[in-house]
Amino acid sequence: MLINENITPRALSSEEKENRKKGVYDSFANYLVFCPGCHRVMKTNMYLQSAEIYLERLAREQTVCPECGRSEFILGYPLGSKTGFVKYHDRRDP
């Protein structure tokens, strides 16, 4: 399981969720899947459809978060981004 500790996630905004229901989304954006309880990022850099399929798989397999034990994951972007494209620094790098 891929876990990226270098990204702080944020949930999609209400507007972004509403747009998705209408079929409107950024086809070039990179989405991520994370636990809303502890914000543990499970997978990053996915196109929307791949992220939605991954969410379905996690739910179907009743996967639990390795950090907090919850079995609920949501779609999002890195904090401060509306596209998923961000530059971040490795926390281990001084």
Side-chain angles (χ1 to χ4, degrees):
M1 182 179 324
L2 175 66
I3 299 170
N4 193 323
E5 297 177 354
N6 298 315
I7 296 173
T8 302
R10 72 160 178 88
L12 296 182
S13 68
S14 298
E15 179 182 356
E16 290 163 339
K17 289 178 187 176
E18 286 302 313
N19 283 339
R20 179 61 187 130
K21 288 178 187 175
K22 297 174 191 171
V24 176
Y25 62 96
D26 184 346
S27 61
F28 293 103
N30 283 326
Y31 294 84
L32 55 82
V33 172
F34 70 99
C35 174
C38 68
H39 295 102
R40 183 71 173 243
V41 177
M42 301 298 286
K43 195 166 184 180
T44 63
N45 298 325
M46 295 178 289
Y47 290 115
L48 180 60
Q49 289 82 3
S50 297
E52 290 173 337
I53 290 167
Y54 185 65
L55 281 170
E56 290 171 5
R57 189 180 106 209
L58 291 174
R60 183 178 60 251
E61 295 175 359
Q62 298 178 340
T63 303
V64 297
C65 175
E67 188 74 26
C68 70
R70 288 177 68 160
S71 60
E72 174 191 354
F73 299 96
I74 61 174
L75 191 63
Y77 284 130
L79 186 64
S81 174
K82 291 189 180 246
T83 63
F85 294 103
V86 296
K87 181 177 181 181
Y88 64 90
H89 300 283
D90 190 329
R91 291 181 192 169
R92 295 169 292 192
D93 209 11

